[in-house]
Amino acid sequence: MWPRCCCCHFVASSLQLLPVPTSLQLIRLQLRLLALVSTTLAFRAAWRLFTTPRRLPVKQWEAAAVAGARRFELPFGSGALVAYEWTAPSQSAAPPTILLVHGWEHRASFWGALAQSLRKAGYRVVAFDGPAHGASAGRRTTLPEFGTAIQLVADTVGPVWGVVAHSFGAAATAGLPVRFNTEHAQQHQAGQPTLPRLVLLSVPGSTPAVFQRFAGLLRLPPKVTTRMLRHVETQGGRQVESFSLTQAGPKDWAGRVLLLHDRADETIPFSEAQDVARSWPGLDFRPTNGLGHNRIMRDPAVLRQIAAFLE
């Protein structure tokens, strides 16, 4: 299997500095030959790759990450979503709920460090395995389906005080967007945000750019890439660019928004975070250094910033 990343795939330019895996060469050849025969056949094969996350081996530390959490399931499609709840130390009042949304090829247990940090800070924390991820059902998923899953979990465990979302999960949360605490619809209509706190980590700013990185990785012919973009628009009933966080930011439904993105992110260019920050008035943008795309989720300094921001 070739290298993959959140939002489906390695930045193609980074591969230019590395030997190209034989498996990737074969896939490129297969897609090129399919495209010569039929754009439709090549599109179907490329779309299947684009929407199929790998089930990564479970790491040793993941069992400890969910130890003590209550596991529960929510019916979803023909299967179920697996979710976890970490309860704050006993308090006289119900603690605020924080929902954690993982990225592509991750799962709830990847949030272990932050979940424990927030639990100790007095929050009730909920995380879940997205469709086709972790222990949840499914083999393939899309951004809209992932968003539907977020909506289901939020509606089930709400009201939600804050959401922390990483990469693909952040794109689904804010790019669709998901609507939180919808029982407060009248307040929302009156201009009051329904989600007090939103934290975004390592986000893709441009949806078309995600497709272009994927197309560059697989050397897809332009006609196949165009077919993929057209498919997204047909299925979603809206322009591809409208899913971009630079276009679909929480202008009114989120109160305070924090964006953290590493300058050396090897998956999502730092420039996309800068574009998001410029497009969202009032957003609190805090670049990090030396954490890359994933370590930002468990860095102690980042965890402290998130906890303070959620207050």
Side-chain angles (χ1 to χ4, degrees), residues 40-65:
T40 297
L41 290 177
F43 154 71
R44 289 175 178 171
W47 186 253
R48 183 169 58 252
L49 291 171
F50 190 77
T51 57
T52 304
R54 295 173 301 173
R55 301 276 187 169
L56 298 175
V58 176
K59 299 175 176 60
Q60 290 185 345
W61 52 264
E62 290 187 73

Side-chain angles (χ1 to χ4, degrees), residues 187-202:
Q187 289 182 338
H188 177 68
Q189 292 172 0
Q192 297 297 319
T194 58
L195 181 68
R197 302 287 186 271
L198 174 62
V199 179
L200 305 173
L201 304 175
S202 310

Side-chain angles (χ1 to χ4, degrees), residues 6-7 101-107 110-111 130 133 146 165-170 293 297:
C6 178
C7 279
V101 183
H102 68 75
W104 189 257
E105 298 186 338
H106 284 192
R107 44 191 169 250
F110 279 48
W111 287 116
H133 287 74
F146 212 89
H166 179 251
S167 201
F168 179 81
H293 190 70
M297 299 174 64

Side-chain angles (χ1 to χ4, degrees), residues 12-245:
S13 60
S14 67
L15 289 177
Q16 296 175 1
L17 305 177
L18 301 172
V20 178
T22 301
S23 57
L24 175 55
Q25 296 181 38
L26 292 174
I27 290 170
R28 286 173 172 174
L29 176 60
Q30 178 188 40
L31 290 171
R32 185 162 61 247
L33 293 175
L34 281 175
L36 290 174
V37 175
S38 167
T39 298
T40 297
L41 290 177
F43 154 71
R44 289 175 178 171
W47 186 253
R48 183 169 58 252
L49 291 171
F50 190 77
T51 57
T52 304
R54 295 173 301 173
R55 301 276 187 169
L56 298 175
V58 176
K59 299 175 176 60
Q60 290 185 345
W61 52 264
E62 290 187 73
V66 296
R70 179 180 72 89
R71 173 173 164 155
F72 62 100
E73 296 186 4
L74 299 174
F76 186 80
S78 60
L81 296 175
V82 173
Y84 300 85
E85 176 187 11
W86 291 263
T87 304
S90 57
Q91 298 178 349
S92 57
T97 296
I98 306 298
L99 176 62
L100 309 180
V101 183
H102 68 75
W104 189 257
E105 298 186 338
H106 284 192
R107 44 191 169 250
S109 54
F110 279 48
W111 287 116
L114 180 59
Q116 292 298 338
S117 175
L118 295 179
R119 184 193 70 82
K120 293 176 181 177
Y123 293 101
R124 171 193 180 220
V125 183
V126 176
F128 68 101
D129 294 343
H133 287 74
S136 292
R139 298 183 60 186
R140 299 170 60 185
T141 192
T142 62
L143 189 78
E145 182 183 51
F146 212 89
T148 300
I150 299 169
Q151 188 75 67
L152 171 64
V153 177
D155 290 345
T156 301
V157 305
V160 175
W161 170 257
V163 174
V164 183
H166 179 251
S167 201
F168 179 81
T173 299
L176 293 176
V178 176
R179 296 299 183 184
F180 297 94
N181 306 322
T182 53
E183 69 274 15
H184 301 304
Q186 290 184 343
Q187 289 182 338
H188 177 68
Q189 292 172 0
Q192 297 297 319
T194 58
L195 181 68
R197 302 287 186 271
L198 174 62
V199 179
L200 305 173
L201 304 175
S202 310
V203 299
S206 167
T207 301
V210 171
F211 281 92
Q212 292 302 325
R213 285 194 288 271
F214 177 71
L217 175 63
L218 298 186
R219 304 283 176 81
L220 295 178
K223 59 184 179 181
V224 177
T225 307
T226 299
R227 181 69 178 273
M228 292 181 71
L229 294 171
R230 189 164 68 244
H231 179 71
V232 171
E233 293 181 343
T234 300
Q235 295 297 310
R238 52 195 273 196
Q239 296 293 313
V240 174
E241 183 62 37
S242 72
F243 292 99
S244 298
L245 268 65

